[in-house]
């Protein structure tokens, strides 16, 4: 699954019973994940081997009728078979198989536990049986279970069906053992409107015209897989294909959008071919579809269903009228990420949700490696620094958690779907690959995949395979970074030159943003250090509180050279001074790493907060676009801390605009022939932040181009459309807001329609922001767009958005898919810098204790923002006065 990095709604709303001990399941292929050790919330006496599912959707009434025949192995006699089921109703069930049949079942549903129990008059004998169940369910309007998405076309409104089952929502579609360890094969049959396209994990095997406008489509049997990977889609679709890597690769869109999927299709073939080689095991299914759907989720962008990857359109399609270079890169990395899951997650699956990071951290890391291989000009290694920074921002707060954390119930799996699992997982894997060496790392991965094909694993299975291949202590390092939370802090001191080498002392501590007196944890930290003057990095492992290292060459030394390590680096003032003086000569990746460390350490009060601002002054105008992208983000971040302080904010903006004006001259409004992708992305970033900072020339030009767009096709280039719309929307008056709403209402391009409606929430005028909130409660924007409008309002008016959402809690939560509900409301308040928000958030917990965990995260964000305003802004304000005169 590709999670939305920008969304704080990362928890799944998962309800189930407590763990049930019992008899053993069939043995796993790996000693790390056995029936005796893996968590389950079902009795262990019965296990599935095959599901034969048939269903008929009633698209107009949002219901479906289904039947399933489940082949099961009964390991010990039992009168009751318990499956997971949610929001299903049952007509009848019976069982037949070896020995005498137990006959019809009495059915009991436990809504709280999300289970259905099938009890028979006499015990079901040990052996193989077939459990047959007739049932019915509902079609949702958010991305949960079987769901419908409506969209506008020139011919009127259309409706399409899709499924989303991760983590435990297959139980909304079919009664099942809805846990990752219970793998089985699936055969799916659907009765659908004739002429519509039906898609599943496997190719359609047979289609029968039933007459009356109905057809029955039967799909080939899938490989053995977990329930959350099952997929079905239905609608007025188009499909284009290529053949590569021994499979048919397809893209599926609603009619008229195939051209927008061509980049994804062309990219998917080489990616699949390279993964066949990288993993050492060929992709095992006959086809791999990439399926684009209108709408959006507050929780995820794409889902790795085996052979049928689901994407919301913005994550797969490129529209020349709207898409940016960043969108292009996002499509590529999302395709790479989800394709990586076909091995890491689908072929080899974590045994339980506490090892979800085995799927997500690895796929996030490999998407970067894939991009480096096929698009080196995008300089994706620098993007990994941004992911690491996001993870460290979460990991340095008291509300963090380990990458691997025991989860006794699926409710606790909510913790797994966040930046710790994805971005910290990515960073830790990158660090371990650098330590093991890329060849040894790949050999270990190949060994792990081959040993566990179609099986279930735990994290240590991967570490063992890599450690064997590398001959280095991978397990000890990996366990430190995945089984305990937090960010190591390496303090660098010394620096004297002896025998042509700089002698440094590396002291280990812990970087924390909100616990200054915390007793530091300890890690085995791989560290690379290199002299600024050049030479190969020196590798060392800091295992105790301090270690010495000699780096060939005299003069400044960059620690964490190449930025593979997951730790913060704090230099003593004299050592930092030497690096700052040589900032322009550092490799871009080390410029980015140093700048990011210094900014974070400064806001946390561990070094002067102005040191990062001094580095932004030291950066040459010709610096790498991604360095300038980080500088632009820093200026935007500092500006946000000044909200509510108009005099100080105006002074800061004057300095920031003076620094960024030459950069605007460099990038301009028009793309240059042959410019790099990062340069194109920088253009949008610079214009956007200048608009936010109130640059009058940029604001005027954005408004001019927006007005001219009606008559001049060149006025708003596609890659700048969202940027220009964003500036205009933020500064809109009532007439302008009404005009943008009318434009959104008339738009049939799904991507642009969603963008326009969402931007109505960007208005800085609080009266217009309130109108946007009211609009979000109507059906006009579309069922999946309303939460994005509310979130956009929270960007400029967090208190307004939070209070509105709490006052309309039931209605708002009904518009958020189940996976994102527990974190959504708290995330709105988490953007505030008002001390009163802490009380508001406590009141939310009091009214709904199930939200406590997400509320604590939001409170930590608010408290930290308040701390920075109180402790660091005075020094920044003094710096502004000094620089600005």
């Amino acid at each position: 699954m590709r999670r939305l990095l920008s969304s704080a709604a990362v928890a799944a709303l998962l309800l189930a019973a407590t763990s049930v001990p019992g008899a053993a399941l069939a043995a796993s292929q790996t000693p790390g994940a056995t029936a005796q050790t893996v968590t389950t919330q079902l009795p262990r006496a019965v296990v599935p081997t095959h599901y034969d599912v048939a269903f008929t959707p009633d698209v107009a009434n949002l219901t479906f009728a289904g039947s399933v025949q489940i082949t099961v192995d009964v390991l010990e006699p039992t009168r009751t078979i318990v499956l997971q089921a949610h929001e299903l109703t049952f007509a009848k069930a019976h069982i037949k198989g070896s020995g005498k049949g137990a006959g019809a079942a009495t059915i009991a549903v436990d809504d709280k536990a999300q289970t259905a129990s099938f009890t028979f008059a006499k015990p079901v004998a040990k052996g193989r049986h077939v459990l047959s169940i007739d049932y019915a369910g509902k079609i949702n309007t958010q991305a949960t279970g079987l769901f419908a998405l409506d969209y506008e076309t020139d011919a009127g409104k259309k409706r399409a069906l899709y499924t989303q089952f991760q983590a435990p929502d297959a139980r909304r579609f079919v009664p099942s053992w809805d846990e990752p360890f219970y793998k089985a094969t699936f055969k799916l049959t659907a009765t659908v409107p004739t002429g519509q396209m039906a898609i599943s994990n496997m190719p359609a095997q047979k289609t029968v015209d039933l007459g009356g406008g109905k057809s029955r489509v039967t799909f080939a049997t899938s490989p053995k897989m977990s329930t959350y990977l099952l997929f079905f889609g239905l609608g007025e679709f188009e499909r284009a294909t290529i053949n590569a890597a021994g499979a048919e690769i397809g893209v599926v869109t609603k009619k008229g959008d195939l051209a927008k999927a061509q980049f994804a299709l062309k990219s998917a073939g080489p990616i699949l071919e390279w993964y066949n080689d990288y993993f050492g095991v060929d992709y095992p299914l006959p086809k791999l579809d990439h399926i684009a759907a209108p709408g959006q989720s507050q929780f995820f962008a794409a889902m790795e269903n085996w052979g049928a990857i689901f994407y919301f359109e913005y994550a797969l399609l490129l529209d020349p009228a709207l898409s940016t270079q960043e969108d292009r890169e996002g499509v590529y990395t999302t395709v790479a990420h989800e394709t990586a899951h076909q091995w890491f997650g689908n072929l080899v699956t974590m045994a339980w949700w506490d090892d979800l990071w085995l799927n997500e951290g690895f796929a996030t890391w490999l998407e970067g490696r894939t991009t480096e291989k096929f698009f080196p000009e995008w300089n994706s290694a620098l993007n990994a620094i941004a992911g690491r920074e996001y993870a460290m921002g979460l990991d340095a707060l008291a509300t963090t958690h380990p990458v691997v954390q025991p989860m006794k119930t699926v409710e606790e799996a909510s913790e797994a779907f966040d930046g710790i699992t994805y971005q910290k997982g990515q960073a830790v894997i990158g660090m371990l690959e650098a330590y093991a060496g890329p060849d040894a790392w790949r050999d270990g991965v190949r060994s792990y995949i081959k040993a566990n094909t179609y099986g279930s694993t735990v994290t240590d299975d991967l570490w063992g395979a890599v450690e064997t291949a590398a001959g280095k202590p991978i397990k000890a390092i990996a366990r430190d970074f995945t089984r305990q939370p937090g960010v190591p802090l390496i303090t660098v001191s010394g620096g004297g030159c002896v025998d042509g080498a700089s002698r440094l002392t590396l002291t280990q501590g812990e970087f924390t943003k909100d616990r200054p007196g915390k007793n530091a944890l300890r890690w085995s930290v791989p560290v690379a250090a290199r002299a600024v003057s050049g030479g190969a990095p020196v590798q060392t492992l800091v295992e105790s509180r301090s270690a010495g290292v000699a780096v060939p060459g005299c003069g400044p030394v960059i620690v964490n050279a190449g930025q593979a390590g997951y730790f913060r680096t704090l230099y003593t003032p004299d050592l930092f001074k030497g690096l700052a003086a040589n900032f322009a000569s550092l490799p871009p990746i080390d410029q980015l790493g140093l700048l990011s460390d210094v900014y974070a350490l400064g806001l946390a009060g561990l070094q002067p907060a102005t040191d990062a601002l001094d580095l932004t002054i030291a950066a040459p105008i010709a610096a790498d676009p991604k360095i300038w992208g980080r500088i632009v983000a820093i200026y935007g971040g500092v500006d946000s801390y000044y909200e509510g302080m108009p005099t100080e904010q105006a002074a800061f903006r004057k300095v920031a605009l003076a620094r960024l004006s030459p950069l605007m001259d460099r990038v301009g409004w028009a793309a240059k022939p042959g410019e790099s992708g990062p340069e194109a992305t920088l253009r949008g970033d610079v214009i956007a932040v200048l608009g936010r900072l109130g640059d009058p020339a940029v604001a005027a030009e954005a408004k001019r181009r927006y007005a001219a767009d009606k008559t001049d096709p060149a006025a708003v280039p596609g890659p700048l459309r969202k940027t220009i719309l964003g500036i205009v929307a933020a500064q809109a008056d009532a007439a302008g807001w009404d005009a943008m709403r009318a434009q959104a209402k008339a738009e049939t391009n799904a991507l642009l329609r969603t963008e326009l409606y969402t931007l109505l929430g960007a208005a800085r005028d609080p009266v217009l922001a309130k109108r946007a909130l009211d609009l979000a409660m109507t059906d006009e924007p579309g069922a999946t767009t309303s939460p994005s409008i509310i979130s956009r309002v929270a960007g400029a008016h967090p208190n307004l958005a939070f209070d509105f959402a709490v006052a309309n809690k039931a209605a708002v939560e009904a518009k958020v898919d189940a996976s994102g509900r527990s974190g959504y409301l708290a995330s709105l308040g988490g953007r505030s810098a008002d001390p009163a928000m802490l009380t508001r958030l406590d009141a939310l917990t009091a009214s709904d204790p199930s939200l406590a965990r997400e509320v604590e995260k939001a409170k930590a964000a608010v408290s930290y923002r308040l701390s920075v305003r109180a402790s660091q802004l005075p020094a920044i304000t003094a710096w502004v006065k000094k620089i600005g005169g």
Side-chain angles (χ1 to χ4, degrees):
M1 178 183 285
R2 186 66 179 268
R3 195 184 68 86
L4 291 178
L5 182 63
S6 61
S7 173
V10 296
L13 185 66
L14 312 174
L15 303 173
T18 56
S19 299
V20 181
L25 296 169
S28 166
Q29 295 185 28
T30 156
T34 68
Q36 290 75 21
T37 61
V38 72
T39 302
T40 182
Q41 295 178 297
L42 294 171
R44 301 175 187 251
V46 182
V47 296
T49 63
H50 176 73
Y51 295 85
D52 197 332
V53 184
F55 79 108
T56 302
D58 182 345
V59 179
N61 294 306
L62 296 177
T63 61
F64 69 92
S67 65
V68 61
Q69 294 184 314
I70 311 173
T71 303
V72 298
D73 286 338
V74 176
L75 306 179
E76 59 183 38
T78 180
R79 285 188 58 211
T80 301
I81 297 177
V82 183
L83 287 75
Q84 278 140 340
H86 187 42
E87 296 185 334
L88 301 178
T89 58
F90 296 92
K92 60 182 179 179
H94 69 275
I95 197 166
K96 60 181 180 179
S98 60
K100 291 185 178 181
T106 300
I107 306 170
V109 174
D110 187 331
D111 292 332
K112 184 178 180 181
Q114 297 186 357
T115 59
S117 298
F118 301 86
T119 301
F120 302 92
K122 55 185 178 181
V124 181
K126 183 178 180 180
R128 180 154 290 187
H129 302 262
V130 177
L131 174 62
S132 299
I133 306 169
D134 290 345
Y135 63 99
K138 70 177 186 178
I139 299 173
N140 298 291
T141 56
Q142 303 293 334
T144 304
L146 177 64
F147 66 98
L149 292 175
D150 294 340
Y151 58 95
E152 298 290 337
T153 72
D154 293 335
K157 183 173 287 188
K158 300 290 184 179
R159 174 170 287 175
L161 297 184
Y162 308 92
T163 58
Q164 169 57 29
F165 294 155
Q166 193 182 51
D169 285 318
R171 66 190 67 178
R172 295 173 183 266
F173 178 70
V174 57
S176 55
W177 282 259
D178 192 18
E179 296 176 3
F181 188 76
Y182 292 95
K183 290 190 168 187
T185 57
F186 290 82
K187 190 176 187 67
L188 187 64
T189 299
T191 300
V192 301
T194 300
Q196 291 195 11
M197 184 183 295
I199 313 161
S200 188
N201 307 80
M202 298 294 286
Q205 191 176 56
K206 185 179 181 181
T207 300
V208 177
D209 189 339
L210 302 176
K214 296 289 185 179
S215 295
R216 184 171 58 241
V217 182
T218 301
F219 297 93
T221 301
S222 76
K224 187 169 71 168
M225 65 184 189
S226 302
T227 50
Y228 76 88
L229 297 172
L230 183 64
F231 177 80
F232 177 78
L234 174 70
E236 296 182 13
F237 301 150
E238 293 180 312
R239 182 171 183 256
T241 64
I242 60 172
N243 291 306
E248 181 180 84
I249 300 174
V251 288
V252 179
T253 71
K254 62 184 191 296
K255 286 186 176 181
D257 281 345
L258 267 185
K260 299 173 186 176
Q262 289 307 301
F263 175 71
L265 182 60
K266 291 176 182 177
S267 300
I271 290 172
L272 193 67
E273 289 173 346
W274 189 55
Y275 285 176
N276 276 349
D277 176 68
Y278 188 88
F279 289 112
V281 174
D282 286 348
Y283 174 73
L285 276 66
K287 65 98 175 175
L288 177 57
D289 280 321
H290 301 265
I291 301 148
Q296 56 190 312
S297 163
Q298 298 305 300
F299 181 59
F300 75 106
M303 174 61 204
E304 66 269 17
N305 314 295
W306 213 357
I309 302 173
F310 172 90
Y311 303 76
F312 286 106
E313 286 179 342
Y314 68 85
L316 189 72
L317 306 186
L318 292 175
D319 187 337
L322 186 66
S323 298
T324 66
Q325 172 62 25
E326 191 173 16
D327 292 331
R328 185 179 180 87
E329 294 180 23
V331 166
Y332 188 84
T333 56
T334 304
V335 170
H337 180 107
E338 302 304 337
T339 305
H341 277 312
Q342 306 303 298
W343 286 262
F344 248 81
N346 299 5
L347 185 63
V348 180
T349 310
M350 78 272 149
W352 182 246
W353 299 108
D354 46 10
D355 282 309
L356 174 70
W357 93 282
L358 273 178
N359 293 9
E360 301 301 348
F362 192 93
T364 305
W365 167 79
L366 192 55
E367 74 184 48
R369 285 290 180 270
T370 309
T371 307
E372 285 179 29
K373 176 175 177 60
F374 290 103
F375 289 95
E377 66 273 18
W378 291 354
N379 208 354
S380 63
L382 272 64
N383 291 344
I385 305 301
R388 185 185 72 183
E389 288 302 301
Y390 177 73
M392 286 183 175
L394 299 174
D395 209 13
L397 293 169
T399 50
T400 189
H401 61 83
V403 170
V404 177
Q405 53 181 331
M407 297 179 197
K408 298 301 183 185
T409 68
V410 280
E411 291 95 332
E412 298 174 12
S414 62
E415 282 291 333
F417 291 92
D418 65 4
I420 301 299
T421 290
Y422 285 73
Q423 279 71 43
K424 182 174 181 178
Q426 169 196 25
V428 169
I429 286 173
M431 178 177 67
L432 292 171
E433 185 211 25
Y435 180 71
D439 291 340
W441 174 264
R442 183 195 59 207
D443 290 345
V445 168
R446 286 177 172 176
S447 175
Y448 165 83
I449 292 290
K450 289 177 180 177
N452 298 293
T453 294
Y454 299 109
S456 301
T457 64
V458 296
T459 291
D460 275 355
D461 295 324
L462 176 61
W463 301 150
V466 176
E467 184 167 274
T468 298
K472 293 181 178 180
I474 299 297
K475 283 185 180 179
I477 299 169
R479 285 172 176 170
D480 283 353
F481 279 89
T482 61
R483 295 189 177 276
Q484 61 184 8
V487 182
L489 174 67
I490 300 296
T491 300
V492 186
S493 58
C497 190
V498 179
D499 297 329
S502 295
R503 305 281 175 168
L504 301 173
T505 298
L506 307 179
T507 303
Q508 183 181 161
E510 183 174 352
F511 171 67
T512 176
K513 300 197 297 187
D514 58 358
R515 293 157 294 166
K518 182 182 185 297
N519 290 327
L521 299 174
R522 186 176 299 180
W523 295 262
S524 295
V525 187
V527 177
R530 182 182 60 80
V532 170
S533 58
V538 173
Q539 306 281 347
T540 189
L541 192 62
V542 180
E543 298 177 280
S544 59
R545 285 299 179 201
S546 66
V549 62
V551 181
C554 295
V557 172
I558 186 78
V559 171
N560 202 9
Q563 303 302 309
Y566 184 81
F567 57 87
R568 291 277 183 219
T569 307
L570 174 62
Y571 299 89
T572 55
D574 57 325
L575 295 181
F576 173 72
K577 183 178 180 180
L579 285 172
N582 290 272
F583 182 75
S585 65
L586 293 175
I589 196 165
D590 289 326
Q591 288 180 333
L592 190 57
L594 179 64
L595 182 59
S596 298
D597 273 339
V598 172
Y599 182 58
L601 293 164
L603 293 185
L606 297 177
Q607 72 181 94
T610 56
D611 282 353
L613 295 173
D614 286 337
L615 290 181
T616 70
I617 300 297
I621 198 66
D624 187 281
K626 293 193 177 181
I627 303 304
W628 272 111
R630 182 65 175 135
I631 291 171
V632 165
I634 286 174
Y635 284 147
V638 172
D639 180 74
S640 70
Y641 285 114
Y642 278 114
E643 289 296 334
M645 305 168 65
T647 301
E648 294 87 347
Q649 188 177 53
F652 172 76
R653 287 180 171 184
K654 180 180 177 182
V655 170
L657 291 174
R659 183 61 177 135
L660 295 179
S661 290
L663 184 61
M664 185 64 207
D665 292 339
R666 165 183 156 178
V667 299
W669 283 87
K672 299 174 179 63
E675 73 179 6
S676 68
E679 188 79 2
T681 297
L682 178 61
R683 176 177 298 105
D685 291 344
V686 174
I687 293 172
V689 82
L690 287 175
R692 173 179 171 170
L693 295 174
D695 184 293
V698 166
E701 180 64 5
K703 291 176 181 177
R704 183 196 71 78
R705 288 172 176 266
Y706 176 70
D709 187 42
K710 298 177 180 65
T711 56
D712 179 5
V716 181
L720 287 180
R721 185 172 298 277
K722 286 188 279 190
T723 301
I724 290 170
L725 288 173
I727 294 172
V728 172
Q731 299 182 13
D733 57 14
W737 193 92
D738 286 338
M740 187 169 286
R741 178 183 177 182
Q743 182 183 356
K745 195 171 184 178
E747 184 59 60
T748 58
N749 180 319
L751 291 172
L752 182 53
R753 178 185 174 89
T754 298
E755 185 72 17
L756 288 166
Y757 270 117
T758 300
L759 284 173
L760 290 172
R764 293 175 185 167
D765 183 335
V767 174
L768 297 177
K770 178 59 169 62
R771 288 181 63 188
L773 293 172
D774 292 337
L775 176 65
M777 290 295 95
T778 71
D779 294 332
E780 181 184 320
T784 67
T785 303
S786 293
S788 293
I789 297 175
I790 300 171
S791 295
R792 187 58 67 97
V793 172
H797 310 280
N799 288 18
L800 176 65
F802 178 81
D803 291 345
F804 177 88
V806 170
N808 298 276
K809 184 173 181 288
V812 169
E813 288 187 335
K815 292 181 177 293
V816 179
D817 53 280
S819 298
R821 282 178 197 151
S822 63
Y824 182 76
L825 294 181
S827 74
L828 302 174
R831 304 181 192 187
S832 178
D834 180 0
M837 180 53 70
L838 298 172
T839 303
R840 287 181 167 96
L841 286 164
D842 282 335
L844 178 61
T845 299
S847 68
D848 189 346
S850 71
L851 304 181
R853 186 176 296 172
E854 296 302 325
V855 165
E856 288 306 309
K857 292 179 183 179
K859 288 176 61 180
V862 173
S863 296
Y864 181 65
R865 192 171 295 110
L866 292 169
S867 172
V868 170
R869 284 166 63 95
S871 60
Q872 307 308 326
L873 277 194
I876 294 175
T877 299
W879 180 89
V880 167
K881 185 175 181 180
K882 177 183 175 182
I883 295 293

